[in-house]
Amino acid sequence: MSDHQNGLHLEAENWPRALFAVALAFSVFQVVTAAFPLISTQVLRAMHVGLLLLVVYISYPAFGIGRPWQPLAWLLGMAGLGTAVYQWVFEGDLIQRSGELTQADMVVGVVLIVLVFEAARRVMGIALPIICALFLAYGLFGEHLPGDLAHRGYGFDQIVNQLSFGTEGLYGTPTYVSATYIYLFILFGAFLEQAGMIRLFTDFAMGLFGHRVGGPAKVSVFSSALMGTITGSGVANVVTTGQFTIPLMKRFGYKPAFAGGVEATASMGSQLMPPVMGAVAFIMAETINVPYVEIAKAALIPALLYFGSVYWMVHLEARRADLKGLPRDQCPSAWGAVRERWFLLIPLLVLIALLFSGRTPLFSGTIGLALTAIVILGSAIILRVSSLGLRIAFWVALGLLCAGFFRLGIGVIFVVIAALALACWFVRGGRETLRICVRALAEGARHAIPVGIACTLVGVIIGVISLTGIATTFASYVLDLGRENLLLSLVLTMVTCLVLGMGIPTIPNYIITSSIAAPALLELGVPLIVSHMFVFYFGILADLTPPVALACFAAAPIAKERGLKISFWAVRIALAGFVVPFMAVYSPALMLQEGGWGATLYVTCKAVLAIGLWGMASIGYLQGPLAWWERLVAFAAGASLVLALPISDELGFVLGALVIGWHLWRQRAREAVA
């Protein structure tokens, strides 16, 4: 169910006051607990889920559109929050009982499970709850299944205890990550968005690419890549940047379906783009117990190749259809946009520096968010001062004050924020800035709902898998296939990701598939990070593949075109990018996992050529139209470069050189005759 159907599409200040207050309290709670560890992680997870349930039930109706019936909404919402309060009040008793549930524990546990299922249905539709219900049924009745699928049998109380009171159920690793890193990074993106970062990125992209061939589409690709650095959410990216880029593309001659497909494809890639990737990256780092920077490092080249492939497809389509760019005088200055809003880049650059210096995502996110608030509040005060010297002195003083936190603690930064907020109250235009900050806090809660609910409900799958060991059974099937043919195992894993992605978001898709396939791929010799990135990559592409392509359907109302038609174009545009994860499996150097810089450079060049050839085959154009047999040879050359067989690389290079050389010679001959 979309935000547009329940009223959350309104600006935050237009929400019902109670909803706004709850969303604001939710964000404040998350910020305070991130900065000051006042409660245990178990209570933090429980309160995160409880507040999620409260926000969902008072804003999402059970059926239809409009606001839910408030008395029942508040009853269900407070019941959800009550399960969290129960965990907090009786934390010590629950630890001492260690799985021996009382009648009250059973009631609370069952209520929590039911409320989470219903909340997920209201937010995301029926697909994910059905999949999780099947896993739940397996945990309860799987002992009656034949052969290897049967488990030893578990009582109802064991299932409830596993899901509602442990750290391998609803309060599992995904929920922990949602309650800490993810929420902070969502708030970080919300603050920057409210402060005008979208305009900075779009103006910068327009200045660089707007005047080129197919300029509007290239702006969409580049701005979506930049937005990915602060949002990490593909569908959210479609809705934000798409409001500008899709109408722009249509105005300059692009078909509505193609315009929607470009934006959807580019936006989904934002989840791969370091330094601030999608929620899955944080869950992955926590799951496989590696620093977040290692995930970002592994994603860097695949992300650049993904956006490069989309850019290439857009370029070829623009050449084929003879689509011009904007007149240069209608494009804003790229560096002028940076000069106007340079201060918004400070928190992002600091965040990148902290992440890549080895700091934890929780620490980096807290500091990044705090600096964003400081920059927004500080700019409201000082940008009205005409003296350059005073401006410089102001920013230097703020920087020195913030640097003091390394000695005196995070409290220093909160004191600075409070002082700036107080000053803004008395400065002309400052109160509007304060309203922007408060609005960003409420907006953060809204953006966190689908991510948080998905992370919570998928805990059912995690709990059942860890209790029954069913993943081992499925993994053995993948292993048996892979021992005979690794490519077949990879294709099976890809198909699983794409099929699951028809009905569920990227996060649960990744968790389900990685739980089953990633261990099997590891046994087949695929490095751990590569196997998880393989699953993640195709989980992203699943939002583009028909018949249910979430990103494409999000673009449909903006493009004024059917989501299914947009999806077909999106797959075509993303087709060249399908080679990247396969090449990474056969050559882990592509993700900086094995070999030196020489191996990485070689496989990257090979991937670029394969993407180029597949783009030619898909669009049917290079310098001019390609004959059917040229497209076939180009496809075969690209496929040869992907396969890691003894002579496949050599064959791919030779075929690629021949088809490109022949095409260029033939096109020159045509132009000479003309």
Side-chain angles (χ1 to χ4, degrees):
M1 191 172 293
S2 70
D3 291 346
H4 288 271
Q5 292 175 304
N6 58 47
L8 288 181
H9 68 288
L10 299 172
E11 293 292 331
E13 64 264 24
N14 296 325
W15 295 353
R17 289 185 180 179
L19 174 59
F20 188 92
V22 170
L24 187 61
F26 189 6
S27 290
V28 170
F29 170 81
Q30 293 289 166
V31 172
V32 171
T33 52
F36 308 101
L38 305 172
I39 53 181
S40 68
T41 62
Q42 181 72 8
V43 173
L44 174 63
R45 301 176 201 209
M47 288 300 298
H48 179 71
V49 173
L51 288 165
L52 276 172
L53 292 174
L54 176 58
V55 175
V56 169
Y57 280 108
I58 64 175
S59 57
Y60 286 79
F63 302 100
I65 60 174
R67 290 182 68 198
W69 187 50
Q70 290 303 290
L72 180 60
W74 280 97
L75 178 65
L76 294 172
M78 293 306 294
L81 185 60
T83 63
V85 174
Y86 186 87
Q87 293 267 0
W88 195 343
V89 173
F90 298 102
E91 183 183 12
D93 295 338
L94 289 167
I95 293 171
Q96 288 182 345
R97 288 199 287 274
S98 185
E100 297 294 327
L101 302 184
T102 65
Q103 191 172 2
D105 295 343
M106 283 290 294
V107 171
V108 170
V110 171
V111 167
L112 175 63
I113 294 169
V114 171
L115 288 175
V116 168
F117 267 93
E118 172 60 12
R121 184 193 67 79
R122 295 187 181 198
V123 174
M124 293 178 292
I126 198 65
L128 183 58
I130 286 176
I131 292 171
C132 292
L134 291 173
F135 274 87
L136 182 58
Y138 176 75
L140 291 169
F141 310 113
E143 61 187 301
H144 304 296
L145 292 175
D148 293 337
L149 292 175
H151 56 69
R152 66 178 181 84
Y154 301 92
F156 184 69
D157 60 329
Q158 288 175 286
I159 298 291
V160 172
N161 179 63
Q162 177 83 354
L163 297 185
S164 300
F165 296 98
T167 55
E168 289 187 329
L170 299 176
Y171 300 139
T173 299
T175 299
Y176 171 71
V177 177
S178 174
T180 51
Y181 320 151
I182 294 174
Y183 203 104
L184 287 178
F185 281 95
I186 287 173
L187 280 177
F188 178 76
F191 267 80
L192 287 178
E193 186 179 323
Q194 291 289 328
M197 186 64 105
I198 294 176
R199 185 174 173 188
L200 168 59
F201 285 157
T202 52
D203 284 355
F204 185 69
M206 282 283 289
L208 287 181
F209 300 103
H211 60 279
R212 301 179 185 273
V213 174
K218 291 174 179 177
V219 168
S220 173
V221 176
F222 195 72
S223 61
S224 293
L226 292 175
M227 279 299 295
T229 62
I230 65 166
T231 65
S233 172
V235 177
N237 220 349
V238 172
V239 176
T240 51
T241 59
Q243 297 286 353
F244 169 75
T245 58
I246 293 175
L248 184 67
M249 282 187 272
K250 287 173 64 179
R251 199 166 78 236
F252 278 82
Y254 286 94
K255 297 174 183 175
F258 181 83
V262 169
E263 180 56 45
T265 309
S267 291
M268 290 312 300
S270 67
Q271 297 176 85
L272 272 173
M273 181 57 72
V276 185
M277 300 165 62
V280 169
F282 296 103
I283 296 171
M284 190 190 302
E286 199 71 25
T287 302
I288 64 179
N289 196 28
V290 299
Y292 174 77
V293 66
E294 291 298 316
I295 305 295
K297 188 171 75 173
L300 179 59
I301 295 175
L304 293 174
L305 289 173
Y306 180 95
F307 280 104
S309 70
V310 178
Y311 186 94
W312 176 239
M313 300 293 276
V314 162
H315 176 75
L316 291 179
E317 175 64 19
R319 290 288 303 274
R320 188 190 66 79
D322 194 27
L323 298 173
K324 307 297 184 184
L326 286 78
R328 190 180 282 272
D329 59 358
Q330 292 185 20
C331 297
S333 167
W335 304 112
V338 174
R339 282 195 300 272
E340 187 179 343
R341 292 183 172 82
W342 63 269
F343 52 86
L344 294 178
L345 298 174
I346 296 173
L348 184 60
L349 295 174
V350 171
L351 178 67
I352 294 169
L354 289 172
L355 282 172
F356 282 81
S357 69
R359 303 281 187 173
T360 66
L362 182 60
F363 177 89
S364 305
T366 305
I367 300 303
L369 177 60
L371 285 180
T372 305
I374 288 171
V375 166
I376 292 172
L377 294 170
S379 61
I381 297 170
I382 201 61
L383 289 183
R384 298 184 181 279
V385 176
S386 57
S387 172
L388 180 62
L390 282 176
R391 287 187 182 186
I392 294 172
F394 178 83
W395 289 117
V396 170
L398 268 186
L400 291 173
L401 283 171
C402 292
F405 105 92
F406 287 102
R407 289 183 175 272
L408 303 173
I410 190 71
V412 172
I413 290 185
F414 278 84
V415 170
V416 172
I417 292 173
L420 290 173
L422 184 62
C424 279
W425 187 261
F426 300 102
V427 172
R428 186 163 57 89
R431 295 186 182 184
E432 177 57 32
T433 303
L434 290 174
R435 280 193 287 272
I436 286 173
C437 292
V438 172
R439 191 187 307 143
L441 286 168
E443 288 282 354
R446 180 202 12 214
H447 295 320
I449 287 173
V451 175
I453 289 294
C455 287
T456 304
L457 183 58
V458 85
V460 172
I461 296 170
I462 295 171
V464 171
I465 284 176
S466 64
L467 194 65
T468 63
I470 184 63
T472 307
T473 304
F474 284 109
S476 66
Y477 296 147
V478 178
L479 275 171
D480 290 340
L481 280 173
R483 287 193 185 99
E484 299 295 327
N485 190 334
L486 176 59
L487 180 62
L488 190 58
S489 287
L490 293 173
V491 171
L492 179 64
T493 305
M494 178 189 75
V495 171
T496 303
C497 291
L498 296 179
V499 170
L500 282 174
M502 291 179 185
I504 63 177
T506 306
I507 294 171
N509 189 349
Y510 160 76
I511 291 170
I512 296 169
T513 314
S514 65
S515 301
I516 296 169
L521 294 177
L522 181 64
E523 286 287 322
L524 293 168
V526 181
L528 188 61
I529 289 182
V530 175
S531 61
H532 279 260
M533 287 295 296
F534 184 91
V535 172
F536 178 26
Y537 197 103
F538 282 111
I540 290 170
L541 291 177
D543 281 339
L544 303 174
T545 51
V548 184
L550 298 179
C552 298
F553 280 88
I558 307 171
K560 296 181 172 57
E561 182 59 90
R562 290 181 296 115
L564 189 61
K565 193 171 179 181
I566 292 173
S567 176
F568 284 116
W569 263 110
V571 169
R572 188 174 174 185
I573 294 164
L575 186 63
F578 275 66
V579 307
V580 175
F582 284 94
M583 295 190 78
V585 169
Y586 290 111
S587 302
L590 191 65
M591 292 187 181
L592 304 175
Q593 296 305 298
E594 291 179 4
W597 284 105
T600 300
L601 184 61
Y602 172 74
V603 71
T604 302
C605 291
K606 193 169 71 159
V608 169
L609 181 57
I611 287 169
L613 290 165
W614 275 24
M616 291 164 53
S618 175
I619 301 298
Y621 197 91
L622 184 59
Q623 289 294 96
L626 271 73
W628 66 268
W629 65 268
E630 291 177 310
R631 297 173 72 172
L632 194 63
V633 173
F635 179 83
S640 297
L641 291 168
V642 176
L643 299 173
L645 298 174
I647 61 165
S648 60
D649 282 5
E650 291 83 352
L651 182 63
F653 284 123
V654 170
L655 286 176
L658 285 173
V659 72
I660 293 171
W662 165 261
H663 173 78
L664 294 176
W665 177 82
R666 185 169 63 90
Q667 191 61 25
R668 277 189 192 145
R670 281 181 178 174
E671 290 171 358
V673 172

